[in-house]
Amino acid sequence: MKKLVLLGALALASVLSLPTFADEKPLKIGIEAAYPPFASKAPDGSIVGFDYDIGNALCEEMKVKCVWVEQEFDGLIPALKVRKIDAILSSMSITEDRKKSVDFTNKYYNTPARLVMKAGTQVSEGLTELKGKNIGVQRGSIHERFAREVLAPLGAEIKPYGSQNEIYLDVSAGRLDGTVADATLLNDGFLKTDAGKGFAFVGPAFTDVKYFGDGVGIAVRKGDALKDKINTAIAAIRENGKYKQIQDKYFDFDIYGK
């Protein structure tokens, strides 16, 4: 249910400090590290977050060494297709459109999308109140497609940004009227921060499978047997309690969903 400006197609790669598995080829995983609480940068420059911890747990389960490669979100699928990375673990929703380009594992979490605006703003199920409003969306995301196909025809002005963090700055400064993104991301990354004071969820939750898919999965190249290996690992960490341990570190609810 996904941002610093990076130079070049790929940026810094950080290697997970797991035991070295000499018989296994390292697994290069693409991630956008500007999407808290799923992935962000700690003060020391290291990557932290739910996605990162889940990826490390999966690598440990598969007994492979992870190499994390930072990339802007809209460059992740191109990087995968030209083999600069082996998988994408970056809160990427499983949609029919994306499945034309990549294969997805089973989901590893599922949350709805929401709209955030000034607290007290009234937005009905029909969303007609958004006419003339400037709504920020992350470029290349499912939320951009939803906004352009559903909100723009209602008169909303859709403004694409390279990162959700940039959107938060402009929402806080009043240059945007609101933003549409993953509900958990918005809650933890904005509403619970000082910058998000005075803002709130408005309107309905958005769950249309046409736009928001069947949850969030890990993308691999078409036909890659890696998909089955990762699916086995996802099932294993769900079974052995590692998934719940990671989930409880970040959330007070079941993010896996139904």
Side-chain angles (χ1 to χ4, degrees), residues 55-143:
N56 290 344
L58 293 174
C59 285
E60 187 172 17
E61 182 66 32
M62 293 186 290
K63 295 182 170 55
V64 296
K65 180 174 70 174
C66 281
V67 175
W68 289 91
V69 182
E70 291 184 53
Q71 172 76 52
E72 284 197 337
F73 189 81
D74 58 2
L76 285 168
I77 288 179
L80 178 67
K81 294 175 78 170
V82 299
R83 297 179 178 273
K84 290 184 177 179
I85 55 178
D86 303 309
I88 299 169
L89 204 168
S90 193
S91 290
M92 185 170 282
S93 295
I94 305 167
T95 65
E96 291 302 316
D97 188 54
R98 286 175 177 153
K99 283 194 272 187
K100 296 173 184 177
S101 299
V102 300
D103 282 346
F104 279 99
T105 65
N106 298 333
K107 72 171 185 179
Y108 67 96
Y109 80 84
N110 192 9
T111 54
R114 292 296 305 270
L115 176 68
V116 160
M117 299 180 74
K118 282 278 191 182
T121 302
Q122 298 300 310
V123 177
S124 64
E125 290 283 337
L127 307 174
T128 53
E129 297 86 351
L130 298 182
K131 183 176 181 179
K133 302 297 185 183
N134 292 313
I135 305 298
V137 290
Q138 185 182 357
R139 188 179 297 111
S141 69
I142 56 174
H143 306 100

Side-chain angles (χ1 to χ4, degrees), residues 223-252:
D224 195 331
L226 178 62
K227 180 180 80 169
D228 292 334
K229 294 179 181 179
I230 296 175
N231 277 337
T232 299
I234 291 173
I237 66 170
R238 290 275 299 160
E239 178 68 24
N240 64 23
K242 185 63 177 179
Y243 182 95
K244 188 176 188 307
Q245 179 184 338
I246 295 169
Q247 171 189 273
D248 292 349
K249 177 180 175 182
Y250 296 97
F251 312 110
D252 57 5

